[in-house]
Amino acid sequence: MKRIRKIALFGALTVLIGWLGIGAAKNDFGLGRNMEILIQMMRELSLHYVDEIDPDKLMEDAAAGMVRRLDPYTSYLAEEEMSDFDVMTTGKYGGVGSLIRQKGDYVIFAQPYKGSPADRAGIKIGDKIVAIDGEEAKGWTNAEVSSRLKGDPNTTVRVKIRRLIGDREEEFTLKRERIAIPGVPYAGWVAEGIGYIQHSDFTEGCYKEMRSAIEQLQSEGELRGLILDYRSNGGGILQEAVKIVGLFVPKGTEVVRTKGRREEKIFKTEQDPLLPDLPLAVLINGSSASAAEIVAGALQDLDRAVLVGQKSFGKGLVQSTRPLGYNAYLKLTTGKYYIPSGRCIQAIDYSQHDKSSGREVNDSLKRAFQTAGGRTVYDGGGITPDIVLEPRYISRFALTLYSLGFIEDFVDEYMKRHAADQGPFDVDHFTITEQDYADFVAFMQDKEVPYESASRRMLKAMKEAADEDNFKELEEQIALMDANLKDDKQSLLETYREEIIETINSDIILRHAYSEGVTRHNLHSDTEVKRAVEVLKNR
């Protein structure tokens, strides 16, 4: 093993020496000098450090150091990380098709995807994984279980589970498939003639999913307006964004151009539009980034859609991958993208090559640009919607209850109690009863919730400052505010009652109608969707 590691390290050094030759040929003395220092440093550490050094780890640390002061999107991808990177870019992997999560000593199925091998076998949320291929799974981590469930399509895996409902053990032989996580997970109607499409990420093939979703709506009724939801879409493949814009604008329209140190590329639509004149509204928020901003920004610049929501994230940087040999890659920023008006929407300036001190573009440095119809828009700092709405935040207390698993644990018990319920499940109007919430409050009585409100933290800081300054009168006022502050668990369960009920509702709906059911249910109370409907109805 030691010999293999040394061969691997010195193989890497040989590659670096080759690069050194290239650097010398280009008369780049600085590059050549620094690469020679790096080679000598790795050699000395490998041969003379007091303990055995893993050359792969040494290389990873060196690579991380090289990009540490650049932007946060430039990184070294070791061979073992490439499978996760492929899933992120393609949305596909070989497996049984379910999210999993740790619960106690076991891993449970957290969300079988609709139509997946796990779903077709009848596996439900909360079913416990007892054994895989005959090996007991008690004490296994999420990563260990995931590695056993994933594999090449058409291979099989034996999974023994203990049912959440019924508390009995069953064993299944599941055939792995190529699991495709949809980039467009939901399409439906939000008002008469108004369609809605949720687009969650720009993985490979999402253009086809978007086109299929539109055609599905057209087959169901007259489409007089369409809402595209790009909220919390973190982006992905640029070319998919260009093709999606091409569904709505004339063939040959410039959507985006990328400019780097060495080249400039222009991306134009290549197909005739499917919906050249249909009124569009696009939803964005502070987590809409990259390719999502290309679609939203291009449609705004071309005066083809009305944007609703909050200012987008502002990621106008383009990444490419470069092979380094031995199945390792460098993901690096190679340019910035510019949408049709000519503006770049990158929010943070990393030009000082220190990502820890990247700074937002100052308002005074932002430049004005014109849309196709002559409206004024600005660069630097993301896409500002045409109609800006206040974001809807969920309380930290409700998030804490969910992250600690208390919501899911309660819903597990709810599902057991209602296992015999008959009749169709009403996705659109379902909500738990007053008695159900009283049961949840009772369920929480013996649960420890490590939560401290912002007001409580502020009072503590004020008390410490008053003690230090010896402000006795102020200390008395702080003590009075402290006594009147209602942020104990019982009070918070009442204060954030509606948010907690909606979180419980979503978990129950997920178990009956998958994630698309949760989306459909939540649309009824979505203020941004309602505002978009008003816009589309206003001719």
Side-chain angles (χ1 to χ4, degrees):
M1 179 60 71
K2 291 181 180 179
R3 178 174 175 78
I4 291 173
R5 286 181 174 177
K6 286 183 178 179
I7 290 173
L9 176 60
F10 286 107
L13 296 182
T14 302
V15 173
L16 285 172
I17 290 170
W19 289 348
L20 177 59
I22 295 173
K26 292 182 177 179
N27 198 28
D28 189 339
F29 174 75
L31 176 64
R33 177 195 63 204
N34 290 324
M35 291 178 73
E36 185 173 355
I37 291 171
L38 177 61
I39 291 169
Q40 292 300 331
M41 185 174 177
M42 292 179 72
R43 181 179 184 278
E44 294 299 324
L45 287 170
S46 176
L47 295 176
H48 301 299
Y49 186 72
V50 62
D51 297 317
E52 179 86 11
I53 294 178
D54 182 341
D56 293 334
K57 184 70 174 108
L58 195 65
M59 182 64 211
E60 288 177 23
D61 290 343
M66 286 186 203
V67 301
R68 182 174 63 87
R69 293 185 182 275
L70 305 179
D71 63 78
Y73 312 109
T74 298
S75 61
Y76 170 71
L77 299 174
E79 180 179 8
E80 59 270 19
E81 296 177 284
M82 286 308 297
S83 61
D84 290 337
F85 181 73
D86 288 341
V87 172
M88 184 176 67
T89 54
T90 67
K92 300 179 178 68
Y93 68 95
V96 301
S98 179
L99 298 179
I100 57 176
R101 74 174 178 90
Q102 198 89 35
K103 186 173 184 181
D105 292 333
Y106 290 91
V107 172
I108 66 169
F109 285 99
Q111 187 183 334
Y113 299 136
K114 186 177 182 179
S116 68
D119 182 45
R120 295 198 305 269
I123 291 172
K124 303 295 184 183
I125 294 174
D127 288 344
K128 184 186 301 180
I129 299 172
V130 177
I132 299 178
D133 286 332
E135 289 188 59
E136 291 296 318
K138 184 177 181 179
W140 286 10
T141 64
N142 269 350
E144 289 171 316
V145 171
S146 178
S147 68
R148 299 296 186 97
L149 294 179
K150 288 180 179 178
D152 293 332
N154 297 318
T155 59
T156 60
V157 57
R158 285 188 297 117
V159 182
K160 181 187 287 187
I161 67 169
R162 178 169 289 279
R163 290 290 193 184
L164 170 68
I165 298 174
D167 196 33
R168 65 185 184 279
E169 288 192 356
E170 296 181 22
E171 186 168 278
F172 302 90
T173 297
L174 304 176
K175 181 181 283 190
R176 298 183 180 96
E177 295 178 359
R178 186 71 163 164
I179 305 299
I181 302 170
V184 180
Y186 180 80
W189 301 87
V190 290
E192 185 178 352
I194 306 298
Y196 166 91
I197 298 177
Q198 181 186 47
H199 189 176
S200 57
D201 57 43
F202 284 83
T203 48
E204 189 178 89
C206 68
Y207 157 74
K208 292 181 180 178
E209 294 181 50
M210 175 65 76
R211 188 180 186 100
S212 177
I214 293 171
E215 290 171 344
Q216 171 197 322
L217 292 172
Q218 289 178 314
S219 70
E220 294 172 354
E222 182 186 1
L223 195 59
R224 300 199 295 270
L226 180 62
I227 300 170
L228 303 177
D229 191 347
Y230 284 98
R231 291 174 297 182
S232 299
N233 183 320
I237 301 173
L238 180 148
Q239 289 82 353
E240 297 288 328
V242 175
K243 288 191 284 187
I244 286 173
V245 173
L247 290 167
F248 311 108
V249 301
K251 181 179 179 180
T253 300
E254 180 178 326
V255 175
V256 63
R257 64 177 63 200
T258 61
K259 298 179 184 179
R261 286 172 60 194
R262 300 185 180 277
E263 64 178 352
E264 178 177 334
K265 292 183 178 179
I266 299 174
F267 296 85
K268 297 181 179 182
T269 58
E270 298 180 351
Q271 78 272 4
D272 291 323
L274 182 62
L275 300 172
D277 304 309
L278 186 76
L280 300 175
V282 177
L283 306 182
I284 59 173
N285 64 9
S287 296
S288 304
S290 189
E293 293 176 289
I294 291 176
V295 172
L299 292 175
Q300 184 183 54
D301 280 359
L302 298 168
D303 286 309
R304 185 63 189 84
V306 176
L307 272 56
V308 179
Q310 299 85 45
K311 181 185 289 188
S312 64
F313 182 80
K315 181 182 180 293
L317 301 178
V318 182
Q319 281 72 50
S320 303
T321 54
R322 306 287 189 191
L324 301 176
Y326 299 95
N327 294 321
Y329 285 80
L330 173 65
K331 179 166 71 76
L332 75 162
T333 299
T334 53
K336 296 179 180 180
Y337 66 70
Y338 297 78
I339 51 179
S341 64
R343 56 180 170 150
C344 177
I345 54 173
Q346 174 63 20
I348 298 179
D349 178 12
Y350 294 106
S351 61
Q352 301 304 310
H353 301 301
D354 185 353
K355 62 186 176 186
S356 65
S357 64
R359 59 189 184 279
E360 292 191 7
V361 178
N362 191 289
D363 285 344
S364 64
L365 298 178
K366 293 179 181 179
R367 296 177 300 163
F369 293 81
Q370 300 297 310
T371 69
R375 294 185 303 124
T376 300
V377 289
Y378 295 90
D379 68 354
I383 302 291
T384 299
D386 303 299
I387 300 173
V388 178
L389 301 177
E390 285 297 315
R392 179 185 175 189
Y393 296 107
I394 187 168
S395 69
R396 285 194 308 110
F397 181 70
L399 287 174
T400 299
L401 296 184
Y402 184 82
S403 64
L404 292 174
F406 294 141
I407 300 289
E408 290 172 298
D409 290 345
F410 173 75
V411 174
D412 284 347
E413 297 305 313
Y414 177 94
M415 296 298 291
K416 292 176 185 177
R417 291 198 306 271
H418 291 266
D421 287 358
Q422 300 296 318
F425 183 81
D426 187 355
V427 170
D428 294 297
H429 306 105
F430 172 80
T431 185
I432 59 173
T433 65
E434 292 294 321
Q435 182 57 53
D436 290 330
Y437 192 71
D439 291 342
F440 176 73
V441 172
F443 171 83
M444 288 298 303
Q445 290 309 303
D446 61 345
K447 305 297 189 296
E448 187 69 29
V449 182
Y451 173 83
E452 186 176 55
S453 68
S455 299
R456 179 73 62 186
R457 292 199 307 272
M458 182 66 71
L459 281 178
K460 282 186 176 180
M462 289 174 61
K463 185 177 185 306
E464 290 173 2
D467 287 343
E468 185 176 332
D469 295 330
N470 199 28
F471 290 160
K472 297 297 184 183
E473 185 176 336
L474 184 57
E475 288 179 17
E476 293 175 2
Q477 295 176 8
I478 293 172
L480 182 61
M481 286 190 289
D482 185 72
N484 290 327
L485 182 61
K486 304 294 185 183
D487 70 343
D488 59 284
K489 182 175 66 178
Q490 192 67 27
S491 298
L492 292 171
L493 285 170
E494 186 57 37
T495 300
Y496 298 112
R497 175 192 187 93
E498 294 305 316
E499 291 184 25
I500 297 169
I501 286 176
E502 274 307 306
T503 307
I504 294 172
N505 286 343
S506 293
D507 204 300
I508 294 171
I509 294 167
L510 179 68
R511 301 178 190 227
H512 284 278
Y514 307 93
S515 60
E516 62 189 56
V518 177
T519 300
R520 176 176 149 188
H521 173 84
N522 291 340
L523 287 175
H524 293 287
S525 59
D526 193 319
T527 56
E528 290 165 9
V529 169
K530 290 179 179 179
R531 185 70 179 92
V533 169
E534 292 175 7
V535 169
L536 292 175
K537 286 185 174 181
N538 185 342
R539 296 301 177 184

